[in-house]
Short mmCIF file of all heavy atoms in Angstrom, two decimals:
data_model
loop_
_atom_site.label_atom_id
_atom_site.label_comp_id
_atom_site.label_asym_id
_atom_site.label_seq_id
_atom_site.Cartn_x
_atom_site.Cartn_y
_atom_site.Cartn_z
N PRO A 147 10.50 135.94 78.83
CA PRO A 147 11.28 135.44 77.70
C PRO A 147 12.09 136.41 76.94
O PRO A 147 11.89 137.59 77.03
CB PRO A 147 10.06 134.78 76.77
CG PRO A 147 8.84 135.02 77.56
CD PRO A 147 9.07 136.09 78.62
N TYR A 148 13.08 135.80 76.17
CA TYR A 148 13.91 136.56 75.18
C TYR A 148 13.27 136.57 73.92
O TYR A 148 12.97 135.49 73.34
CB TYR A 148 15.32 136.10 75.32
CG TYR A 148 16.03 136.35 76.67
CD1 TYR A 148 15.90 135.42 77.65
CD2 TYR A 148 16.83 137.45 76.61
CE1 TYR A 148 16.61 135.67 78.87
CE2 TYR A 148 17.65 137.63 77.86
CZ TYR A 148 17.43 136.76 78.95
OH TYR A 148 18.21 137.05 80.14
N ASP A 149 13.25 137.70 73.35
CA ASP A 149 12.69 137.97 72.10
C ASP A 149 13.60 137.42 70.91
O ASP A 149 14.87 137.77 70.93
CB ASP A 149 12.31 139.43 71.86
CG ASP A 149 11.47 139.67 70.60
OD1 ASP A 149 11.01 138.68 69.87
OD2 ASP A 149 11.11 140.82 70.33
N ALA A 150 13.05 136.69 69.94
CA ALA A 150 13.74 136.22 68.85
C ALA A 150 13.02 136.52 67.60
O ALA A 150 13.27 135.92 66.48
CB ALA A 150 13.87 134.68 68.98
N THR A 151 12.07 137.54 67.67
CA THR A 151 11.30 137.91 66.55
C THR A 151 12.33 138.39 65.39
O THR A 151 13.22 139.14 65.59
CB THR A 151 10.33 139.08 66.83
OG1 THR A 151 9.50 138.51 67.86
CG2 THR A 151 9.47 139.33 65.68
N GLY A 152 12.03 137.97 64.22
CA GLY A 152 12.76 138.41 63.02
C GLY A 152 14.14 137.67 62.94
O GLY A 152 14.76 137.95 61.88
N VAL A 153 14.61 136.81 63.78
CA VAL A 153 15.78 136.16 63.76
C VAL A 153 15.50 134.55 63.38
O VAL A 153 16.09 134.08 62.44
CB VAL A 153 16.48 136.03 65.03
CG1 VAL A 153 17.85 135.41 64.89
CG2 VAL A 153 16.81 137.55 65.48
N LEU A 154 14.53 133.90 64.01
CA LEU A 154 14.12 132.55 63.84
C LEU A 154 12.96 132.53 62.84
O LEU A 154 11.98 133.30 63.12
CB LEU A 154 13.88 131.82 64.96
CG LEU A 154 15.02 131.75 66.09
CD1 LEU A 154 14.52 130.90 67.29
CD2 LEU A 154 16.23 131.21 65.44
N PRO A 155 12.82 131.70 61.84
CA PRO A 155 11.76 131.78 60.99
C PRO A 155 10.53 131.04 61.69
O PRO A 155 10.64 130.12 62.43
CB PRO A 155 12.30 130.81 59.79
CG PRO A 155 13.24 129.87 60.43
CD PRO A 155 13.95 130.76 61.46
N ARG A 156 9.41 131.57 61.22
CA ARG A 156 8.11 130.97 61.74
C ARG A 156 7.94 129.68 61.01
O ARG A 156 8.35 129.55 59.98
CB ARG A 156 7.02 131.84 61.64
CG ARG A 156 7.05 133.10 62.46
CD ARG A 156 5.87 134.04 62.25
NE ARG A 156 6.06 135.29 62.91
CZ ARG A 156 5.68 135.51 64.19
NH1 ARG A 156 5.21 134.48 64.97
NH2 ARG A 156 5.74 136.70 64.82
N PRO A 157 7.51 128.53 61.63
CA PRO A 157 6.83 128.52 63.08
C PRO A 157 7.87 128.24 64.26
O PRO A 157 7.27 127.70 65.28
CB PRO A 157 5.77 127.40 62.93
CG PRO A 157 6.41 126.49 62.07
CD PRO A 157 7.30 127.27 60.93
N LEU A 158 9.09 128.39 64.04
CA LEU A 158 9.94 128.22 65.28
C LEU A 158 9.54 129.24 66.29
O LEU A 158 9.05 130.35 65.93
CB LEU A 158 11.37 128.37 64.88
CG LEU A 158 11.94 127.35 63.88
CD1 LEU A 158 13.37 127.66 63.63
CD2 LEU A 158 11.73 126.03 64.50
N PRO A 159 9.84 128.97 67.59
CA PRO A 159 9.45 129.95 68.67
C PRO A 159 9.93 131.36 68.48
O PRO A 159 11.29 131.49 68.05
CB PRO A 159 10.09 129.36 69.95
CG PRO A 159 10.16 127.92 69.59
CD PRO A 159 10.50 127.78 68.09
N GLN A 160 9.24 132.33 68.68
CA GLN A 160 9.64 133.81 68.59
C GLN A 160 10.01 134.36 69.82
O GLN A 160 10.51 135.44 69.97
CB GLN A 160 8.44 134.62 67.93
CG GLN A 160 8.14 134.23 66.50
CD GLN A 160 9.12 134.07 65.52
OE1 GLN A 160 9.67 135.28 65.13
NE2 GLN A 160 9.58 132.90 64.98
N GLU A 161 9.97 133.64 70.97
CA GLU A 161 10.39 133.97 72.23
C GLU A 161 11.07 132.64 72.86
O GLU A 161 10.68 131.51 72.60
CB GLU A 161 9.25 134.17 73.24
CG GLU A 161 8.58 135.64 72.72
CD GLU A 161 7.42 135.96 73.73
OE1 GLU A 161 6.90 134.98 74.43
OE2 GLU A 161 7.12 137.11 73.96
N ILE A 162 12.25 132.87 73.55
CA ILE A 162 12.98 131.80 74.19
C ILE A 162 13.03 132.06 75.71
O ILE A 162 13.32 133.16 76.22
CB ILE A 162 14.30 131.90 73.60
CG1 ILE A 162 14.36 131.63 72.11
CG2 ILE A 162 15.19 130.75 74.25
CD1 ILE A 162 15.78 131.83 71.43
N ASP A 163 12.63 131.15 76.45
CA ASP A 163 12.53 131.23 77.90
C ASP A 163 13.78 131.76 78.45
O ASP A 163 14.96 131.35 78.04
CB ASP A 163 12.07 129.85 78.60
CG ASP A 163 10.59 129.44 78.28
OD1 ASP A 163 9.87 130.39 77.82
OD2 ASP A 163 10.30 128.32 78.38
N ASP A 164 13.78 132.48 79.60
CA ASP A 164 14.92 132.83 80.27
C ASP A 164 15.55 131.68 80.95
O ASP A 164 14.94 130.72 81.25
CB ASP A 164 14.55 133.98 81.41
CG ASP A 164 13.50 133.47 82.37
OD1 ASP A 164 12.57 132.88 81.93
OD2 ASP A 164 13.76 133.62 83.59
N GLY A 165 16.89 131.79 81.08
CA GLY A 165 17.67 130.67 81.51
C GLY A 165 17.98 129.55 80.50
O GLY A 165 18.46 128.49 80.82
N THR A 166 17.61 129.78 79.21
CA THR A 166 17.88 128.71 78.17
C THR A 166 19.13 128.84 77.59
O THR A 166 19.72 129.86 77.36
CB THR A 166 16.88 128.91 77.04
OG1 THR A 166 15.46 128.74 77.44
CG2 THR A 166 17.07 128.08 75.76
N ASN A 167 19.72 127.58 77.34
CA ASN A 167 21.08 127.47 76.66
C ASN A 167 20.74 126.70 75.32
O ASN A 167 20.23 125.60 75.39
CB ASN A 167 22.07 126.73 77.55
CG ASN A 167 22.58 127.60 78.62
OD1 ASN A 167 23.47 128.44 78.45
ND2 ASN A 167 22.17 127.19 79.84
N LEU A 168 21.27 127.38 74.20
CA LEU A 168 21.01 126.92 72.87
C LEU A 168 22.13 126.65 72.12
O LEU A 168 23.20 127.41 72.15
CB LEU A 168 20.09 127.99 72.19
CG LEU A 168 19.62 127.50 70.88
CD1 LEU A 168 18.53 126.52 70.91
CD2 LEU A 168 18.81 128.94 70.16
N LEU A 169 22.33 125.48 71.59
CA LEU A 169 23.42 125.13 70.85
C LEU A 169 23.05 125.19 69.38
O LEU A 169 22.18 124.65 68.78
CB LEU A 169 23.88 123.58 70.99
CG LEU A 169 25.10 123.09 70.25
CD1 LEU A 169 26.36 123.87 70.77
CD2 LEU A 169 25.23 121.61 70.52
N VAL A 170 23.82 126.05 68.58
CA VAL A 170 23.68 126.38 67.26
C VAL A 170 24.74 125.55 66.43
O VAL A 170 25.92 125.81 66.51
CB VAL A 170 23.80 127.89 66.73
CG1 VAL A 170 23.58 128.05 65.35
CG2 VAL A 170 22.75 128.66 67.58
N SER A 171 24.19 124.50 65.74
CA SER A 171 25.02 123.54 65.06
C SER A 171 25.06 123.59 63.56
O SER A 171 23.79 123.46 63.00
CB SER A 171 24.71 122.14 65.47
OG SER A 171 25.38 121.14 64.91
N GLY A 172 26.07 123.98 62.91
CA GLY A 172 26.07 124.19 61.52
C GLY A 172 27.39 124.06 60.90
O GLY A 172 28.43 124.55 61.61
#
């Protein structure tokens, strides 16, 4: 997985599976 520690607030996942595509909408 890809580390997201310190970027996403808990309890959101602190690791993101490899091969993931994420849309950030704001």
Side-chain angles (χ1 to χ4, degrees):
Y148 286 83
D149 192 1
T151 305
V153 180
L154 301 183
R156 297 181 185 275
L158 294 184
Q160 301 301 292
E161 293 183 333
I162 303 173
D163 289 342
D164 57 309
T166 294
N167 287 285
L168 187 64
L169 183 64
V170 179
S171 176

